[in-house]
Amino acid sequence: MSSQSNRNNQNSKDTLTDKTLPSADSASNKTQVPDENESIYNIYDDTISGYTVTTPNKHKEVEISISNKVSSNKANAKKRRSYSSSSNKSHNIFIRFLREFLPETLNAWRFLFTNQRVALISLFTLLFFGLIVLKSASIGVSAYYYGSESHDLFFNKQLLAIGLGIVLFVVFYSLPVDEFWRRFRYLALILSFLILVLVLLIGKEVNSARRWISIGPLQIQAIEVVKLSFFVYIAGFLEKLFKNTYVKMMQLGLILSILIFLIILQPDYKSAMYMLLIMGIVLFLNRVNIVLLGSSLLMVLIVGGVLLFIEDYRVTRLVDFFQSFLEDGQGGYQYTNALYAIQRGGLFGTGWTNSIQKYGYLPESHNDFIFSVMIEEWGAIFAVCFFIAYCFFILYFFFRISSKLYSRGHVYIANLGWLLSLALLLNAYIHVLVNIGWVPVTGISFPFLSYGGSLTFMSLGILGILFRISYEYNKKYASKLDVF
């Protein structure tokens, strides 16, 4: 039995050898068995590589050919992956827009028409009464410059500015504050300086001042755009103010000096002082060291005083302010006629369109002195109520929310809300003080009341951001007291 078993084992070995090693004479398989000195990895099956190996001496050439083909396949695969990744990136952005941005925007608009409806109604009420007052106050100026048939010209332009401003409101309200305005704040600073340089180079000159940039049929006042773009940057700068206060204050002083210098070159002294006043208030709200704030204020007063006496017309305005009734029809002409309009209106006014001062007596009755015309036609009670309603609208709905955000650690959004709220609030406050003769003539307009396409357009855009800030606050810290 042992011999029979040995013969069976020998036969199975022979059978295995015949199946494993192909015959050299076989016509269907030309692959040869490698020598002992050759690596088994140099043999490539024709069903895998697509190549036929005929002799052992060509193993090296086959390796090079296959290596080239593999490299080519890798390169093609890399191109496909690159194209696929760019396509996937674009697809991912679109998917992110649909999943995050679009629902968030829809929620914001739903919140605007439900929880913020009181503020929205207040805004459109102010716009409505502003248009009614302007329509009457601009009749005399329109007829004087463009003829009696064009007495509604300024009213129609203001209506167009409100329509464009509502579009800007919609766009700005749809943009998240942190993800958009905060991210592009450095670009906003570059835009501010670029606009101020461009207005000096290609700006339209009116009354010896270059303050407007013409874009086709439209004229945009540069400072109105700069206010928004510069405040977008400064809000981010103030966020880092307390990391190194003295160094940051020096950097802030340098940036402000360049900005004020470019504004004064237009020249636009009132806007320069206006920007510095807003910055001083916001620094105070940020609890900057009182010594630093006081020294900065002293420097501003010194520089402002020097700039005040450089130009003769500024000195003349200051003298007119202190001698408003001593030079009849000369130095105090504007103040005198503004106070005449207020006196004539009394408490209840003379009635809509019944103003006399707007017909050539009161300069800029549709703009710088429209509040006096409002008192003359509508009375002091209505004018004071309109002013109080405007201030309450800004302070309650926006300034208050910014203060709460600051107390909760959202420094950038809070500072941006403060800056933009003060920009709207101080415009109206200084305008009223000029009209009642408490401060010298500055030429600052009342937002949504005075004629001014750039002011109205940008003010509505600013309100779009302020409404968005209120939405983001209520989204994070919603309570019954904060919903309006």
Side-chain angles (χ1 to χ4, degrees):
M1 287 183 63
S2 63
S3 61
Q4 182 66 27
S5 175
N6 290 335
R7 281 197 301 270
N8 291 338
N9 291 337
Q10 186 65 30
N11 292 335
S12 63
K13 289 180 181 180
D14 294 341
T15 304
L16 180 62
T17 304
D18 292 340
K19 291 182 179 179
T20 305
L21 297 177
S23 174
D25 298 333
S26 174
S28 62
N29 191 350
K30 298 181 181 179
T31 306
Q32 295 182 353
V33 180
D35 296 335
E36 294 179 356
N37 296 327
E38 293 178 344
S39 173
I40 189 64
Y41 299 105
N42 292 334
I43 302 302
Y44 296 90
D45 194 301
D46 58 351
T47 61
I48 298 176
S49 64
Y51 291 87
T52 302
V53 183
T54 56
T55 61
N57 297 329
K58 293 188 177 182
H59 288 166
K60 189 172 183 180
E61 296 178 2
V62 172
E63 288 180 4
I64 295 174
S65 300
I66 294 178
S67 176
N68 292 337
K69 185 174 181 180
V70 170
S71 300
S72 176
N73 291 337
K74 288 182 178 179
N76 293 333
K78 186 176 182 181
K79 289 181 181 179
R80 287 193 299 270
R81 285 195 301 270
S82 176
Y83 175 79
S84 177
S85 76
S86 62
S87 177
N88 289 336
K89 188 175 181 181
S90 302
H91 180 71
N92 291 337
I93 293 175
F94 180 71
I95 293 299
R96 184 184 176 189
F97 171 80
L98 292 179
R99 289 182 178 177
E100 298 179 11
F101 181 78
L102 188 59
E104 182 69 16
T105 304
L106 293 176
N107 289 334
W109 281 101
R110 190 182 300 111
F111 182 84
L112 178 67
F113 289 109
T114 54
N115 301 73
Q116 289 181 308
R117 59 183 178 273
V118 176
L120 196 62
I121 293 172
S122 302
L123 171 60
F124 281 100
T125 303
L126 291 172
L127 290 174
F128 174 76
F129 280 108
L131 282 172
I132 295 298
V133 174
L134 177 65
K135 182 175 176 60
S136 173
S138 62
I139 291 176
V141 181
S142 300
Y144 177 79
Y145 285 108
Y146 303 102
S148 58
E149 297 180 356
S150 303
H151 58 273
D152 285 338
L153 181 63
F154 289 106
F155 172 79
N156 294 333
K157 287 185 176 181
Q158 186 79 346
L159 201 59
L160 176 62
I162 290 176
L164 295 175
I166 290 175
V167 175
L168 190 65
F169 177 94
V170 171
V171 174
F172 283 1
Y173 182 75
S174 303
L175 299 174
V177 178
D178 271 331
E179 295 182 9
F180 184 82
W181 298 108
R182 187 178 188 179
R183 179 176 298 179
F184 295 105
R185 62 186 184 274
Y186 295 106
L187 185 61
L189 178 65
I190 297 173
L191 179 64
S192 301
F193 290 129
L194 181 62
I195 291 175
L196 291 176
V197 172
L198 283 177
V199 77
L200 295 174
L201 297 177
I202 62 173
K204 183 180 179 180
E205 185 173 348
V206 178
N207 296 329
S208 302
R210 293 183 180 273
R211 301 174 186 173
W212 291 267
I213 297 177
S214 298
I215 303 177
L218 302 177
Q219 292 184 7
I220 299 178
Q221 193 170 4
I223 190 63
E224 299 299 334
V225 182
V226 169
K227 280 193 297 187
L228 174 58
S229 59
F230 185 71
F231 289 157
V232 166
Y233 167 76
I234 284 297
F237 185 91
L238 294 175
E239 187 181 19
K240 303 177 181 179
L241 184 63
F242 297 101
K243 292 184 179 180
N244 195 343
T245 307
Y246 292 95
V247 175
K248 289 294 182 181
M249 285 294 290
M250 292 178 64
Q251 294 176 354
L252 179 61
L254 177 62
I255 295 171
L256 280 175
S257 299
I258 298 173
L259 179 82
I260 298 304
F261 177 73
L262 292 174
I263 293 175
I264 291 176
L265 286 180
Q266 296 180 11
D268 193 0
Y269 182 79
K270 69 176 187 300
S271 296
M273 295 298 103
Y274 166 82
M275 297 284 284
L276 289 174
L277 178 61
I278 293 177
M279 285 302 307
I281 295 174
V282 173
L283 287 173
F284 177 77
L285 293 173
N286 278 271
R287 302 164 188 168
V288 175
N289 187 295
I290 193 66
V291 177
L292 286 175
L293 189 59
S295 58
S296 302
L297 179 61
L298 181 61
M299 291 180 61
V300 168
L301 291 175
I302 294 173
V303 174
V306 172
L307 294 174
L308 177 64
F309 290 96
I310 288 177
E311 297 290 344
D312 293 337
Y313 74 91
R314 294 175 189 151
V315 180
T316 303
R317 285 184 178 180
L318 188 62
V319 173
D320 293 345
F321 171 67
F322 290 108
Q323 298 180 348
S324 56
F325 284 99
L326 296 181
E327 302 178 26
D328 188 17
Q330 298 295 327
Y333 182 77
Q334 292 173 312
Y335 297 103
T336 303
N337 283 282
L339 294 177
Y340 280 160
I342 294 173
Q343 182 182 11
R344 188 170 181 271
L347 291 177
F348 303 103
T350 60
W352 186 52
T353 72
N354 291 333
S355 170
I356 295 176
Q357 295 300 109
K358 67 185 178 184
Y359 289 106
Y361 297 101
L362 185 59
E364 302 294 329
S365 61
H366 65 307
N367 192 348
D368 297 347
F369 288 93
I370 194 171
F371 192 76
S372 298
V373 177
M374 175 191 274
I375 295 177
E376 185 181 5
E377 293 186 348
W378 295 80
I381 294 178
F382 177 85
V384 170
C385 290
F386 183 88
F387 176 69
I388 292 175
Y390 178 85
C391 293
F392 180 81
F393 171 71
I394 301 296
L395 290 172
Y396 180 78
F397 291 128
F398 309 117
F399 194 89
R400 179 183 65 96
I401 296 297
S402 299
S403 301
K404 289 189 175 184
L405 284 167
Y406 187 85
S407 64
R408 295 177 183 268
H410 301 279
V411 181
Y412 176 80
I413 302 180
N415 279 308
L416 184 60
W418 278 339
L419 288 164
L420 298 182
S421 298
L422 288 171
L424 295 176
L425 193 64
L426 289 181
N427 261 57
Y429 187 68
I430 296 173
H431 176 90
V432 171
L433 292 180
V434 170
N435 277 253
I436 63 178
W438 284 15
V439 297
V441 175
T442 58
I444 291 181
S445 303
F446 197 124
F448 311 125
L449 181 64
S450 300
Y451 168 75
S454 300
L455 175 65
T456 304
F457 176 72
M458 293 307 302
S459 296
L460 284 170
I462 287 173
L463 280 177
I465 300 175
L466 290 174
F467 270 92
R468 180 72 190 205
I469 290 174
S470 298
Y471 161 70
E472 293 189 3
Y473 169 78
N474 281 273
K475 182 181 67 173
K476 296 177 181 178
Y477 311 106
S479 67
K480 293 183 179 180
L481 296 176
D482 299 325
V483 175
F484 46 85

